[in-house]
Protein backbone atom coordinates (compact mmCIF):
# COMPACT_ATOMS: atom_id res chain seq x y z
CA UNK A 1 0.00 0.00 0.00
CA UNK A 2 2.78 2.39 0.87
CA UNK A 3 4.41 1.95 -2.52
CA UNK A 4 1.10 2.45 -4.30
CA UNK A 5 0.69 5.76 -2.47
CA UNK A 6 4.27 6.58 -3.42
CA UNK A 7 3.43 6.00 -7.05
CA UNK A 8 0.43 8.30 -7.21
CA UNK A 9 2.22 10.85 -5.05
CA UNK A 10 5.17 10.81 -7.46
CA UNK A 11 2.82 11.37 -10.35
CA UNK A 12 1.10 14.30 -8.69
CA UNK A 13 4.49 15.86 -7.94
CA UNK A 14 5.46 15.32 -11.55
CA UNK A 15 2.36 16.99 -12.91
CA UNK A 16 2.61 19.95 -10.56
CA UNK A 17 6.25 20.46 -11.45
CA UNK A 18 5.61 20.29 -15.15
CA UNK A 19 3.05 23.06 -14.82
CA UNK A 20 5.19 25.20 -12.53
CA UNK A 21 8.66 24.68 -13.92
CA UNK A 22 8.01 25.72 -17.49
CA UNK A 23 6.79 29.30 -16.93
CA UNK A 24 9.38 29.72 -14.18
CA UNK A 25 12.18 28.79 -16.56
CA UNK A 26 11.10 31.45 -18.99
CA UNK A 27 10.65 34.32 -16.56
CA UNK A 28 12.98 33.96 -13.57
CA UNK A 29 16.63 33.42 -12.81
CA UNK A 30 17.83 29.84 -12.36
CA UNK A 31 18.07 28.68 -8.73
CA UNK A 32 21.89 28.45 -8.97
CA UNK A 33 24.34 30.55 -10.98
CA UNK A 34 25.83 27.49 -12.67
CA UNK A 35 25.57 23.73 -12.91
CA UNK A 36 28.59 21.48 -13.49
CA UNK A 37 27.97 17.89 -14.58
CA UNK A 38 30.25 14.85 -14.21
CA UNK A 39 29.85 11.17 -14.94
CA UNK A 40 28.85 8.73 -17.67
CA UNK A 41 26.36 8.29 -20.50
CA UNK A 42 23.39 8.91 -18.20
CA UNK A 43 24.40 12.59 -18.27
CA UNK A 44 26.78 13.03 -21.27
CA UNK A 45 25.45 15.67 -23.70
CA UNK A 46 28.05 15.23 -26.43
CA UNK A 47 31.59 15.11 -25.07
CA UNK A 48 32.21 11.72 -26.69
CA UNK A 49 31.37 13.18 -30.12
CA UNK A 50 34.69 15.01 -29.92
CA UNK A 51 36.77 11.94 -29.01
CA UNK A 52 38.02 10.70 -32.38
CA UNK A 53 39.12 7.30 -31.09
CA UNK A 54 35.95 6.64 -29.13
CA UNK A 55 34.06 3.76 -30.76
CA UNK A 56 30.56 3.94 -32.25
CA UNK A 57 29.24 1.79 -29.36
CA UNK A 58 30.01 4.64 -26.99
CA UNK A 59 28.67 7.48 -29.13
CA UNK A 60 25.10 8.71 -29.55
CA UNK A 61 25.83 11.04 -32.45
CA UNK A 62 23.71 9.10 -34.93
CA UNK A 63 19.97 8.49 -35.40
CA UNK A 64 17.79 7.26 -33.75
CA UNK A 65 19.23 9.02 -30.77
CA UNK A 66 17.50 12.38 -30.42
CA UNK A 67 14.36 11.29 -32.28
CA UNK A 68 12.27 13.35 -29.82
CA UNK A 69 14.83 16.16 -29.44
CA UNK A 70 14.54 19.50 -31.24
CA UNK A 71 14.72 18.83 -35.02
CA UNK A 72 15.21 15.12 -34.17
CA UNK A 73 18.90 15.96 -33.80
CA UNK A 74 21.29 13.31 -32.49
CA UNK A 75 23.40 15.41 -30.11
CA UNK A 76 25.40 12.79 -28.26
CA UNK A 77 22.69 12.31 -25.62
CA UNK A 78 21.99 8.61 -25.02
CA UNK A 79 18.25 9.19 -25.10
CA UNK A 80 15.33 9.78 -27.44
CA UNK A 81 15.24 13.35 -26.12
CA UNK A 82 16.63 15.13 -23.09
CA UNK A 83 18.60 13.15 -20.50
CA UNK A 84 18.82 13.25 -16.71
CA UNK A 85 21.23 16.20 -16.61
CA UNK A 86 18.96 18.20 -18.92
CA UNK A 87 15.86 17.50 -16.90
CA UNK A 88 17.45 18.39 -13.57
CA UNK A 89 18.80 21.57 -15.22
CA UNK A 90 15.28 22.39 -16.38
CA UNK A 91 13.90 22.02 -12.86
CA UNK A 92 16.59 24.47 -11.72
CA UNK A 93 15.42 26.96 -14.34
CA UNK A 94 17.90 26.38 -17.17
CA UNK A 95 16.84 25.51 -20.72
CA UNK A 96 18.75 22.20 -20.61
CA UNK A 97 22.14 20.82 -19.48
CA UNK A 98 25.12 23.13 -19.84
CA UNK A 99 27.12 22.40 -23.01
CA UNK A 100 29.80 19.73 -23.34
CA UNK A 101 33.29 20.74 -22.24
CA UNK A 102 34.94 19.53 -25.44
CA UNK A 103 32.63 21.62 -27.67
CA UNK A 104 33.49 24.75 -25.68
CA UNK A 105 37.17 24.12 -25.96
CA UNK A 106 36.88 24.08 -29.73
CA UNK A 107 34.88 27.30 -29.71
CA UNK A 108 36.99 29.13 -27.08
CA UNK A 109 33.88 29.76 -24.99
CA UNK A 110 35.17 28.29 -21.73
CA UNK A 111 35.81 31.50 -19.74
CA UNK A 112 32.32 32.75 -20.59
CA UNK A 113 30.65 29.43 -19.70
CA UNK A 114 32.39 29.13 -16.34
CA UNK A 115 29.69 31.42 -14.97
CA UNK A 116 26.70 29.32 -16.16
CA UNK A 117 28.03 25.78 -16.25
CA UNK A 118 29.83 23.07 -18.19
CA UNK A 119 29.15 19.35 -18.67
CA UNK A 120 32.23 17.10 -18.42
CA UNK A 121 30.46 13.72 -18.55
CA UNK A 122 31.61 11.02 -20.93
CA UNK A 123 29.65 7.93 -22.00
CA UNK A 124 31.33 4.65 -21.11
CA UNK A 125 33.43 6.19 -18.35
CA UNK A 126 33.46 5.12 -14.73
CA UNK A 127 34.73 5.85 -11.28
CA UNK A 128 37.91 3.89 -12.01
CA UNK A 129 40.39 5.30 -14.52
CA UNK A 130 40.52 2.18 -16.67
CA UNK A 131 36.76 1.79 -17.08
CA UNK A 132 35.55 2.25 -20.65
CA UNK A 133 38.91 2.01 -22.36
CA UNK A 134 38.44 -1.57 -23.49
CA UNK A 135 34.90 -1.11 -24.83
CA UNK A 136 35.16 2.46 -26.09
CA UNK A 137 38.82 3.00 -26.89
CA UNK A 138 38.93 6.49 -25.41
CA UNK A 139 36.68 8.09 -22.77
CA UNK A 140 37.14 10.82 -20.15
CA UNK A 141 37.39 9.06 -16.77
CA UNK A 142 36.10 10.82 -13.64
CA UNK A 143 39.61 11.80 -12.51
CA UNK A 144 40.21 13.55 -15.81
CA UNK A 145 36.81 15.27 -15.71
CA UNK A 146 37.65 16.54 -12.23
CA UNK A 147 41.17 17.52 -13.26
CA UNK A 148 39.89 19.42 -16.28
CA UNK A 149 37.38 21.31 -14.10
CA UNK A 150 40.07 22.14 -11.53
CA UNK A 151 42.36 23.60 -14.19
CA UNK A 152 39.54 25.82 -15.41
CA UNK A 153 38.95 27.17 -11.90
CA UNK A 154 42.66 27.92 -11.53
CA UNK A 155 42.66 29.99 -14.71
CA UNK A 156 39.32 31.74 -13.99
CA UNK A 157 39.05 35.23 -12.46
CA UNK A 158 37.89 35.70 -8.86
CA UNK A 159 34.27 36.43 -9.81
CA UNK A 160 33.94 33.15 -11.65
CA UNK A 161 35.71 31.25 -8.86
CA UNK A 162 33.28 32.69 -6.25
CA UNK A 163 30.28 31.46 -8.24
CA UNK A 164 31.58 27.89 -7.99
CA UNK A 165 30.70 27.58 -4.29
CA UNK A 166 27.08 28.55 -5.01
CA UNK A 167 26.75 26.26 -8.01
CA UNK A 168 25.38 22.73 -8.25
CA UNK A 169 27.73 19.79 -8.89
CA UNK A 170 25.73 16.96 -10.38
CA UNK A 171 27.34 13.51 -10.60
CA UNK A 172 25.97 10.27 -12.05
CA UNK A 173 28.50 7.45 -12.44
CA UNK A 174 29.30 3.85 -11.48
CA UNK A 175 27.26 1.55 -13.74
CA UNK A 176 30.10 1.02 -16.23
CA UNK A 177 32.48 -0.01 -13.46
CA UNK A 178 29.95 -2.73 -12.58
CA UNK A 179 29.56 -3.95 -16.17
CA UNK A 180 33.32 -4.29 -16.58
CA UNK A 181 33.77 -5.96 -13.22
CA UNK A 182 31.10 -8.55 -14.04
CA UNK A 183 32.73 -9.20 -17.40
CA UNK A 184 36.13 -9.62 -15.72
CA UNK A 185 35.34 -12.79 -13.79
CA UNK A 186 34.84 -11.08 -10.42
CA UNK A 187 38.44 -10.33 -9.61
CA UNK A 188 39.22 -8.87 -7.06
CA UNK A 189 36.36 -10.05 -4.84
CA UNK A 190 33.26 -7.88 -4.48
CA UNK A 191 34.23 -6.45 -1.08
CA UNK A 192 37.59 -5.27 -2.34
CA UNK A 193 36.15 -4.01 -5.60
CA UNK A 194 33.50 -1.89 -3.85
CA UNK A 195 36.14 -0.47 -1.51
CA UNK A 196 38.20 0.50 -4.52
CA UNK A 197 35.20 2.25 -6.10
CA UNK A 198 34.28 4.15 -2.96
CA UNK A 199 37.81 5.29 -2.26
CA UNK A 200 38.25 6.48 -5.83
CA UNK A 201 34.83 8.21 -5.74
CA UNK A 202 35.83 9.94 -2.51
CA UNK A 203 39.12 11.15 -4.01
CA UNK A 204 37.26 12.65 -6.96
CA UNK A 205 34.75 14.45 -4.74
CA UNK A 206 37.57 15.82 -2.62
CA UNK A 207 39.17 17.08 -5.84
CA UNK A 208 36.01 18.99 -6.69
CA UNK A 209 35.79 20.37 -3.14
CA UNK A 210 39.41 21.53 -3.34
CA UNK A 211 38.49 23.41 -6.54
CA UNK A 212 35.68 25.20 -4.67
CA UNK A 213 32.64 22.94 -5.08
CA UNK A 214 30.28 22.86 -2.07
CA UNK A 215 26.87 21.60 -3.23
CA UNK A 216 26.86 18.03 -4.52
CA UNK A 217 23.96 16.13 -6.00
CA UNK A 218 25.04 12.49 -6.37
CA UNK A 219 23.02 9.73 -8.05
CA UNK A 220 23.79 6.15 -7.08
CA UNK A 221 23.91 3.48 -9.82
CA UNK A 222 20.42 2.08 -10.34
CA UNK A 223 19.46 -1.59 -10.69
CA UNK A 224 21.97 -2.11 -13.51
CA UNK A 225 20.94 -5.76 -13.86
CA UNK A 226 17.54 -4.63 -15.16
CA UNK A 227 18.68 -2.83 -18.33
CA UNK A 228 17.75 -4.77 -21.50
CA UNK A 229 21.35 -5.86 -22.22
CA UNK A 230 21.65 -7.42 -18.76
CA UNK A 231 18.17 -8.95 -18.87
CA UNK A 232 19.37 -10.72 -22.00
CA UNK A 233 22.39 -12.06 -20.10
CA UNK A 234 20.09 -13.15 -17.26
CA UNK A 235 17.86 -14.99 -19.70
CA UNK A 236 20.91 -16.83 -21.04
CA UNK A 237 22.55 -17.62 -17.68
CA UNK A 238 19.27 -18.09 -15.74
CA UNK A 239 20.76 -15.99 -12.97
CA UNK A 240 17.55 -14.11 -12.15
CA UNK A 241 16.57 -12.00 -9.17
CA UNK A 242 12.99 -11.25 -8.09
CA UNK A 243 12.57 -8.69 -10.89
CA UNK A 244 13.78 -11.22 -13.53
CA UNK A 245 16.93 -9.10 -13.79
CA UNK A 246 20.59 -10.20 -13.66
CA UNK A 247 21.13 -11.02 -9.96
CA UNK A 248 24.92 -10.52 -9.63
CA UNK A 249 24.66 -7.09 -11.30
CA UNK A 250 21.82 -5.88 -9.08
CA UNK A 251 23.60 -7.27 -6.04
CA UNK A 252 26.50 -4.90 -6.71
CA UNK A 253 24.09 -1.95 -6.87
CA UNK A 254 22.49 -2.95 -3.58
CA UNK A 255 25.92 -3.31 -1.95
CA UNK A 256 27.36 -0.03 -3.24
CA UNK A 257 24.53 2.29 -2.19
CA UNK A 258 25.13 2.20 1.59
CA UNK A 259 28.87 2.58 0.97
CA UNK A 260 28.31 5.76 -1.05
CA UNK A 261 25.89 7.01 1.60
CA UNK A 262 28.40 6.63 4.43
CA UNK A 263 31.24 8.01 2.29
CA UNK A 264 29.22 11.19 1.66
CA UNK A 265 28.26 11.44 5.29
CA UNK A 266 31.94 11.18 6.30
CA UNK A 267 33.01 13.77 3.73
CA UNK A 268 30.39 16.25 4.89
CA UNK A 269 31.72 16.08 8.44
CA UNK A 270 35.36 16.37 7.27
CA UNK A 271 34.91 19.15 4.71
CA UNK A 272 33.57 22.45 6.10
CA UNK A 273 30.61 23.85 4.19
CA UNK A 274 30.05 20.77 2.08
CA UNK A 275 26.39 19.85 1.53
CA UNK A 276 25.00 16.98 -0.48
CA UNK A 277 21.89 15.25 -1.73
CA UNK A 278 22.16 11.55 -2.50
CA UNK A 279 19.57 10.12 -4.89
CA UNK A 280 18.67 6.48 -4.29
CA UNK A 281 18.07 5.27 -7.85
CA UNK A 282 17.59 1.74 -6.59
CA UNK A 283 14.47 2.64 -4.62
CA UNK A 284 13.20 4.66 -7.59
CA UNK A 285 13.64 1.63 -9.86
CA UNK A 286 11.97 -0.62 -7.27
CA UNK A 287 9.00 1.71 -7.23
CA UNK A 288 8.54 1.15 -10.96
CA UNK A 289 9.25 -2.61 -10.90
CA UNK A 290 7.11 -3.22 -7.81
CA UNK A 291 4.14 -1.50 -9.41
CA UNK A 292 3.95 -3.17 -12.78
CA UNK A 293 0.20 -3.11 -12.62
CA UNK A 294 -0.13 0.51 -11.55
CA UNK A 295 -0.72 2.35 -14.79
CA UNK A 296 -0.28 5.80 -13.25
CA UNK A 297 3.50 5.48 -13.09
CA UNK A 298 3.19 5.73 -16.84
CA UNK A 299 5.49 2.96 -18.07
CA UNK A 300 4.04 -0.23 -19.43
CA UNK A 301 7.12 -1.63 -21.20
CA UNK A 302 9.71 -2.25 -18.52
CA UNK A 303 12.10 -4.80 -19.99
CA UNK A 304 12.63 -4.17 -23.71
CA UNK A 305 14.46 -1.30 -25.39
CA UNK A 306 12.45 1.01 -27.63
CA UNK A 307 15.26 1.14 -30.19
CA UNK A 308 16.71 -2.30 -30.80
CA UNK A 309 16.03 -5.73 -32.24
CA UNK A 310 15.95 -9.28 -30.94
CA UNK A 311 15.20 -10.49 -27.40
CA UNK A 312 14.65 -7.48 -25.09
CA UNK A 313 15.55 -5.20 -28.03
CA UNK A 314 19.10 -5.64 -26.77
CA UNK A 315 20.98 -4.97 -30.03
CA UNK A 316 22.73 -1.69 -30.76
CA UNK A 317 20.38 1.24 -31.53
CA UNK A 318 20.68 2.65 -35.05
CA UNK A 319 18.58 3.32 -38.15
CA UNK A 320 18.50 -0.32 -39.25
CA UNK A 321 16.75 -1.67 -36.14
CA UNK A 322 13.10 -1.17 -35.11
CA UNK A 323 12.04 1.95 -33.20
CA UNK A 324 8.94 1.82 -30.99
CA UNK A 325 6.20 4.34 -31.67
CA UNK A 326 5.00 4.87 -28.12
CA UNK A 327 8.18 6.12 -26.48
CA UNK A 328 6.41 7.46 -23.40
CA UNK A 329 5.34 3.97 -22.30
CA UNK A 330 8.90 2.53 -22.48
CA UNK A 331 11.29 2.67 -19.55
CA UNK A 332 14.35 2.06 -21.76
CA UNK A 333 15.23 3.79 -24.99
CA UNK A 334 18.22 1.62 -25.89
CA UNK A 335 19.77 -1.46 -24.32
CA UNK A 336 21.44 0.57 -21.54
CA UNK A 337 19.62 3.90 -21.21
CA UNK A 338 16.28 5.23 -20.01
CA UNK A 339 13.84 7.13 -22.19
CA UNK A 340 13.39 10.85 -21.81
CA UNK A 341 10.26 10.33 -19.76
CA UNK A 342 11.95 7.78 -17.49
CA UNK A 343 14.76 10.21 -16.70
CA UNK A 344 12.21 12.96 -16.13
CA UNK A 345 10.71 10.80 -13.40
CA UNK A 346 14.17 10.46 -11.79
CA UNK A 347 14.97 14.17 -12.12
CA UNK A 348 11.68 15.12 -10.49
CA UNK A 349 12.37 12.83 -7.53
CA UNK A 350 15.93 14.16 -7.13
CA UNK A 351 14.63 17.70 -7.14
CA UNK A 352 11.61 17.58 -4.89
CA UNK A 353 11.14 14.19 -3.22
CA UNK A 354 10.37 14.73 0.47
CA UNK A 355 12.70 11.97 1.75
CA UNK A 356 11.80 8.60 0.32
CA UNK A 357 14.34 8.60 -2.52
CA UNK A 358 16.84 11.36 -1.61
CA UNK A 359 18.94 11.77 1.54
CA UNK A 360 19.40 13.79 3.66
CA UNK A 361 17.85 16.59 1.58
CA UNK A 362 16.59 16.99 -1.98
CA UNK A 363 18.20 19.15 -4.66
CA UNK A 364 15.73 21.97 -4.15
CA UNK A 365 16.78 22.16 -0.47
CA UNK A 366 20.44 21.70 -1.38
CA UNK A 367 20.55 24.69 -3.70
CA UNK A 368 18.70 26.82 -1.13
CA UNK A 369 21.25 26.00 1.63
CA UNK A 370 23.80 28.64 2.65
CA UNK A 371 27.09 26.98 3.55
C1 LIG B 1 43.85 7.04 -32.16
O1 LIG B 1 44.17 5.74 -32.58
C2 LIG B 1 45.22 5.72 -33.52
C3 LIG B 1 45.38 4.30 -34.02
O2 LIG B 1 45.28 3.39 -32.98
C4 LIG B 1 46.49 6.26 -32.86
O3 LIG B 1 47.54 6.27 -33.79
C5 LIG B 1 46.23 7.67 -32.37
O4 LIG B 1 47.34 8.15 -31.64
C6 LIG B 1 45.01 7.71 -31.47
N1 LIG B 1 44.68 9.09 -31.18
C7 LIG B 1 44.38 9.51 -29.97
C8 LIG B 1 44.00 10.94 -29.84
O5 LIG B 1 44.40 8.78 -28.98
C1 LIG C 1 35.37 37.30 -15.04
O1 LIG C 1 34.94 36.20 -15.85
C2 LIG C 1 33.59 36.28 -16.25
C3 LIG C 1 33.28 35.04 -17.04
O2 LIG C 1 33.53 33.92 -16.27
C4 LIG C 1 33.37 37.53 -17.10
O3 LIG C 1 32.02 37.60 -17.44
C5 LIG C 1 33.78 38.76 -16.29
O4 LIG C 1 33.70 39.87 -17.13
C6 LIG C 1 35.21 38.61 -15.79
N1 LIG C 1 35.48 39.70 -14.88
C7 LIG C 1 36.58 40.39 -14.93
C8 LIG C 1 36.74 41.48 -13.94
O5 LIG C 1 37.45 40.18 -15.77
C1 LIG D 1 41.97 17.22 -19.44
O1 LIG D 1 42.83 16.59 -18.53
C2 LIG D 1 43.73 15.67 -19.13
C3 LIG D 1 44.46 14.91 -18.05
O2 LIG D 1 44.84 15.75 -17.04
C4 LIG D 1 44.65 16.39 -20.07
O3 LIG D 1 45.54 15.47 -20.68
C5 LIG D 1 43.80 17.05 -21.12
O4 LIG D 1 44.62 17.82 -21.96
C6 LIG D 1 42.77 17.95 -20.49
N1 LIG D 1 41.88 18.37 -21.54
C7 LIG D 1 41.72 19.61 -21.85
C8 LIG D 1 40.83 19.86 -23.03
O5 LIG D 1 42.18 20.52 -21.19
C1 LIG E 1 38.16 -10.64 -0.27
O1 LIG E 1 39.57 -10.59 -0.40
C2 LIG E 1 40.22 -10.12 0.76
C3 LIG E 1 41.70 -9.96 0.48
O2 LIG E 1 42.15 -10.94 -0.40
C4 LIG E 1 39.96 -11.08 1.93
O3 LIG E 1 40.57 -10.60 3.09
C5 LIG E 1 38.45 -11.18 2.14
O4 LIG E 1 38.17 -12.16 3.11
C6 LIG E 1 37.75 -11.56 0.85
N1 LIG E 1 36.31 -11.48 1.07
C7 LIG E 1 35.47 -12.39 0.70
C8 LIG E 1 34.03 -12.16 0.99
O5 LIG E 1 35.83 -13.39 0.09
C1 LIG F 1 22.79 -11.78 -4.30
O1 LIG F 1 22.59 -11.44 -2.95
C2 LIG F 1 21.72 -12.33 -2.29
C3 LIG F 1 21.43 -11.77 -0.92
O2 LIG F 1 22.51 -11.06 -0.42
C4 LIG F 1 22.37 -13.70 -2.23
O3 LIG F 1 21.50 -14.60 -1.60
C5 LIG F 1 22.63 -14.17 -3.65
O4 LIG F 1 23.34 -15.38 -3.63
C6 LIG F 1 23.43 -13.14 -4.40
N1 LIG F 1 23.46 -13.57 -5.78
C7 LIG F 1 24.54 -13.46 -6.53
C8 LIG F 1 24.39 -13.98 -7.91
O5 LIG F 1 25.57 -12.98 -6.14
C1 LIG G 1 25.15 22.36 4.96
O1 LIG G 1 26.38 22.06 5.60
C2 LIG G 1 26.62 22.85 6.74
C3 LIG G 1 28.00 22.54 7.28
O2 LIG G 1 28.69 21.63 6.50
C4 LIG G 1 25.58 22.56 7.80
O3 LIG G 1 25.78 23.37 8.92
C5 LIG G 1 24.21 22.85 7.20
O4 LIG G 1 23.22 22.47 8.11
C6 LIG G 1 24.00 22.11 5.92
N1 LIG G 1 22.76 22.53 5.31
C7 LIG G 1 21.77 21.71 5.05
C8 LIG G 1 20.55 22.30 4.42
O5 LIG G 1 21.85 20.52 5.27
C1 LIG H 1 9.54 -3.14 -3.48
O1 LIG H 1 9.10 -4.38 -2.96
C2 LIG H 1 10.03 -5.01 -2.07
C3 LIG H 1 9.51 -6.38 -1.73
O2 LIG H 1 8.18 -6.32 -1.36
C4 LIG H 1 10.22 -4.13 -0.84
O3 LIG H 1 11.18 -4.72 0.01
C5 LIG H 1 10.72 -2.77 -1.29
O4 LIG H 1 10.82 -1.89 -0.20
C6 LIG H 1 9.78 -2.16 -2.33
N1 LIG H 1 10.37 -0.93 -2.83
C7 LIG H 1 9.73 0.24 -2.87
C8 LIG H 1 10.48 1.41 -3.37
O5 LIG H 1 8.58 0.37 -2.56
C1 LIG I 1 14.45 -16.04 -22.96
O1 LIG I 1 15.12 -17.14 -23.51
C2 LIG I 1 14.25 -18.14 -24.02
C3 LIG I 1 15.10 -19.29 -24.51
O2 LIG I 1 15.87 -19.76 -23.45
C4 LIG I 1 13.43 -17.57 -25.15
O3 LIG I 1 12.51 -18.54 -25.61
C5 LIG I 1 12.66 -16.35 -24.65
O4 LIG I 1 11.99 -15.74 -25.73
C6 LIG I 1 13.59 -15.35 -24.02
N1 LIG I 1 12.80 -14.30 -23.40
C7 LIG I 1 12.72 -13.07 -23.89
C8 LIG I 1 11.81 -12.13 -23.16
O5 LIG I 1 13.37 -12.69 -24.82
C1 LIG J 1 22.84 -1.47 -36.53
O1 LIG J 1 22.82 -2.36 -35.44
C2 LIG J 1 22.69 -3.70 -35.83
C3 LIG J 1 22.43 -4.53 -34.58
O2 LIG J 1 23.47 -4.43 -33.69
C4 LIG J 1 23.95 -4.10 -36.58
O3 LIG J 1 23.84 -5.45 -36.98
C5 LIG J 1 24.10 -3.21 -37.80
O4 LIG J 1 25.34 -3.45 -38.41
C6 LIG J 1 24.03 -1.74 -37.42
N1 LIG J 1 23.88 -0.95 -38.63
C7 LIG J 1 24.52 0.20 -38.79
C8 LIG J 1 24.18 0.93 -40.04
O5 LIG J 1 25.33 0.62 -37.99
C1 LIG K 1 6.56 12.31 -22.03
O1 LIG K 1 5.45 12.45 -21.21
C2 LIG K 1 4.68 13.57 -21.51
C3 LIG K 1 3.62 13.75 -20.46
O2 LIG K 1 3.14 12.52 -20.00
C4 LIG K 1 4.10 13.40 -22.91
O3 LIG K 1 3.29 14.50 -23.24
C5 LIG K 1 5.25 13.30 -23.88
O4 LIG K 1 4.76 13.03 -25.17
C6 LIG K 1 6.21 12.22 -23.49
N1 LIG K 1 7.39 12.36 -24.31
C7 LIG K 1 7.93 11.39 -24.99
C8 LIG K 1 9.10 11.72 -25.83
O5 LIG K 1 7.51 10.27 -24.95
C1 LIG L 1 1.09 4.64 -25.14
O1 LIG L 1 1.49 4.88 -23.80
C2 LIG L 1 0.50 5.53 -23.02
C3 LIG L 1 1.10 5.80 -21.67
O2 LIG L 1 1.59 4.64 -21.09
C4 LIG L 1 -0.75 4.68 -22.93
O3 LIG L 1 -1.73 5.39 -22.24
C5 LIG L 1 -1.22 4.34 -24.32
O4 LIG L 1 -2.29 3.43 -24.23
C6 LIG L 1 -0.12 3.73 -25.15
N1 LIG L 1 -0.56 3.53 -26.49
C7 LIG L 1 -0.24 2.45 -27.19
C8 LIG L 1 -0.77 2.41 -28.56
O5 LIG L 1 0.44 1.56 -26.73
Amino acid sequence: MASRDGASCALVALCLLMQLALPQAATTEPLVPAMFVFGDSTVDVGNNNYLKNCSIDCKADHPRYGVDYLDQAPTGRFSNGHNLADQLAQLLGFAESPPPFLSLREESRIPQMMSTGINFASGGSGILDGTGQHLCGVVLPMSEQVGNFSSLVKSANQTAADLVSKSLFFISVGSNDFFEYLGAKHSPNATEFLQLLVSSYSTNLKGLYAAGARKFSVVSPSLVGCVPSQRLVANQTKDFDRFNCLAPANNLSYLLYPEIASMLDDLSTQLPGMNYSLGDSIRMAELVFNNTHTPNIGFTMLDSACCGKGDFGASACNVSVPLCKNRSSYLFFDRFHPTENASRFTATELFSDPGKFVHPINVQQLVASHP
Side-chain angles (χ1 to χ4, degrees), residues 63-328:
R64 315 208 182 219
Y65 291 104
V67 61
D68 297 310
Y69 194 79
L70 193 65
D71 299 330
Q72 305 199 328
T75 56
R77 288 167 171 82
F78 295 78
S79 171
N80 54 312
H82 285 113
N83 70 19
L84 182 60
D86 291 312
Q87 313 224 35
L88 189 64
Q90 287 169 347
L91 292 168
L92 291 165
F94 296 101
E96 60 178 17
S97 163
F101 171 56
L102 295 178
S103 72
L104 295 172
R105 190 183 54 148
E106 291 207 338
E107 298 165 21
S108 311
R109 283 169 61 214
I110 285 182
Q112 174 199 347
M113 297 312 290
M114 274 305 279
S115 54
T116 52
I118 297 175
N119 184 323
F120 296 85
S122 169
S125 72
I127 299 169
L128 303 178
D129 283 350
T131 296
Q133 277 164 20
H134 181 66
L135 176 69
C136 308
V138 176
V139 297
L140 306 175
M142 269 301 281
S143 63
E144 190 168 329
Q145 298 176 31
V146 170
N148 289 154
F149 172 75
S150 303
S151 330
L152 296 188
V153 174
K154 287 203 186 85
S155 56
N157 67 31
Q158 193 57 44
T159 317
D162 285 344
L163 290 179
V164 166
S165 70
K166 301 191 178 71
S167 299
L168 182 70
F169 286 74
F170 181 50
I171 304 154
S172 174
V173 70
S175 309
N176 294 316
D177 299 288
F178 286 168
F179 294 136
E180 291 208 2
Y181 176 70
L182 293 163
K185 308 271 185 269
H186 303 223
S187 172
N189 69 34
T191 315
E192 288 181 304
F193 171 65
L194 292 168
Q195 274 168 5
L196 207 58
L197 284 189
V198 171
S199 107
S200 177
Y201 210 149
S202 172
T203 302
N204 287 319
L205 294 178
K206 284 179 183 159
L208 290 173
Y209 178 88
R214 292 297 177 266
K215 297 172 192 248
F216 296 86
S217 165
V218 172
V219 189
S220 72
S222 189
L223 292 177
V224 297
C226 295
V227 303
S229 74
Q230 304 302 295
R231 284 185 187 262
L232 181 66
V233 174
N235 199 32
Q236 288 157 356
T237 60
K238 304 295 171 210
D239 214 344
F240 297 113
D241 69 3
R242 64 192 161 95
F243 298 124
N244 278 332
C245 301
L246 185 62
N250 280 353
N251 273 10
L252 288 175
S253 299
Y254 279 109
L255 291 170
L256 182 61
Y257 179 81
E259 301 289 329
I260 294 181
S262 66
M263 180 263 290
L264 285 169
D265 190 42
D266 289 348
L267 285 183
S268 73
T269 58
Q270 284 168 32
L271 306 174
M274 175 195 167
N275 289 95
Y276 71 93
S277 168
L278 172 60
D280 184 348
S281 323
I282 297 177
R283 301 282 294 170
M284 294 185 218
E286 280 186 353
L287 177 72
V288 174
F289 295 130
N290 277 358
N291 291 280
T292 48
H293 302 295
T294 310
N296 63 5
I297 295 183
F299 306 107
T300 50
M301 180 53 85
L302 304 181
D303 60 3
S304 290
C306 167
C307 178
K309 72 173 180 198
D311 289 355
F312 304 99
S315 75
C317 167
N318 62 38
V319 284
S320 20
V321 303
L323 174 76
C324 72
K325 288 207 170 54
N326 198 356
R327 257 98 62 195
S328 62

